[in-house]
Amino acid sequence: FFFFFFFLMIRRPPRSTLSSSSAASDVYKRQVSTQSTGECLHAMIADAMVHIPACIEYLASLKEPSVFLFCAIPQVMAIATMAKLYNNEKVFCDKVKIRKGLACKIILHCGTMETALSQFLVHLDELDSALLEEDPSYDVSKQRLAAGRACIAQYRDVKLTQSYARNFLTHYPALGGRLLYAIVDNVTGYFRTDAPVAPAH
């Protein structure tokens, strides 16, 4: 599937390196508190933000509700995870992930473009409020968040409408309609040329 927006995956170091008796652990923990490590984390998140408009435009191109739900859930979880990671020193020494309750809420409320983007916007605002003005990536992050909000405003009212043929073929899985339209939606979403291109920063 044509996913632009991915989870920011940061692996936890081996358990042995986290032991209080380990010399490597002491070095690692001292590095956590340095300013450069935080700036590196924020730069990685800022780099991921550039894909927000493309992610939303792709979701807007999907017509089959089940395909939309399948694609929307990981996108909303991704922005929620990024908000959780930003300015969080635990990223460097422990597992950081969103709460199970929040994950369930996202899963239950991604059935339409409006509800999915409403949740997306909540986590964009959460991320915006966590930005540090003294961080080198601050200006770029603000610009990319603004581009994301503009894209949300543009596509928020998009409805998941189905033609008679689509509705008929997808209603009977034995006809292969769901697979066919899933392929068509993803191919057309990939080659779309009418969507506005986010400005490069």
Side-chain angles (χ1 to χ4, degrees):
F1 288 94
F2 185 56
F3 289 132
F4 271 110
F5 205 53
F6 299 97
F7 285 102
L8 184 62
M9 304 299 293
I10 299 179
R11 299 260 335 220
R12 181 180 182 179
R15 186 175 299 275
S16 61
T17 63
L18 298 178
S19 171
S20 58
S21 61
S22 170
S25 176
D26 294 336
V27 173
Y28 188 81
K29 290 177 180 178
R30 283 198 299 270
Q31 290 176 343
V32 169
S33 61
T34 64
Q35 182 178 356
S36 60
T37 54
E39 292 176 356
C40 179
L41 172 64
H42 300 158
M44 292 172 66
I45 294 176
D47 286 344
M49 290 180 194
V50 74
H51 302 300
I52 292 175
C55 165
I56 295 170
E57 290 161 7
Y58 175 67
L59 291 178
S61 73
L62 301 176
K63 303 302 180 184
E64 169 60 40
S66 61
V67 175
F68 176 85
L69 183 64
F70 180 79
C71 296
I73 290 173
Q75 312 311 317
V76 179
M77 285 189 175
I79 191 65
T81 301
M82 289 172 61
K84 182 76 172 179
L85 295 175
Y86 192 89
N87 199 30
N88 189 341
E89 291 186 352
K90 292 182 180 179
V91 169
F92 301 101
C93 57
D94 203 352
K95 293 180 180 179
V96 177
K97 53 187 177 181
I98 61 175
R99 295 177 291 103
K100 292 181 179 179
L102 177 57
C104 291
K105 179 182 177 182
I106 291 172
I107 292 171
L108 293 173
H109 296 89
C110 275
T112 67
M113 192 68 172
E114 182 179 3
T115 56
L117 291 187
S118 293
Q119 293 190 88
F120 207 99
L121 185 59
V122 167
H123 299 300
L124 278 187
D125 292 340
E126 181 183 352
L127 186 52
D128 193 5
S129 65
L131 296 181
L132 303 175
E133 292 188 15
E134 63 273 17
D135 189 83
S137 303
Y138 176 80
D139 290 337
V140 173
S141 297
K142 291 289 286 187
Q143 292 171 359
R144 290 175 178 173
L145 287 173
R149 288 195 183 91
C151 202
I152 287 175
Q154 179 180 355
Y155 290 105
R156 194 165 188 170
D157 295 330
V158 171
K159 304 298 182 182
L160 300 178
T161 57
Q162 295 185 350
S163 66
Y164 175 79
R166 176 188 288 267
N167 193 35
F168 177 80
L169 289 174
T170 56
H171 187 70
Y172 299 98
L175 298 176
R178 289 187 180 180
L179 176 60
L180 172 63
Y181 279 110
I183 295 173
V184 170
D185 287 342
N186 280 277
V187 171
T188 55
Y190 184 85
F191 290 104
R192 283 186 71 195
T193 58
D194 59 324
V197 178
H201 300 293

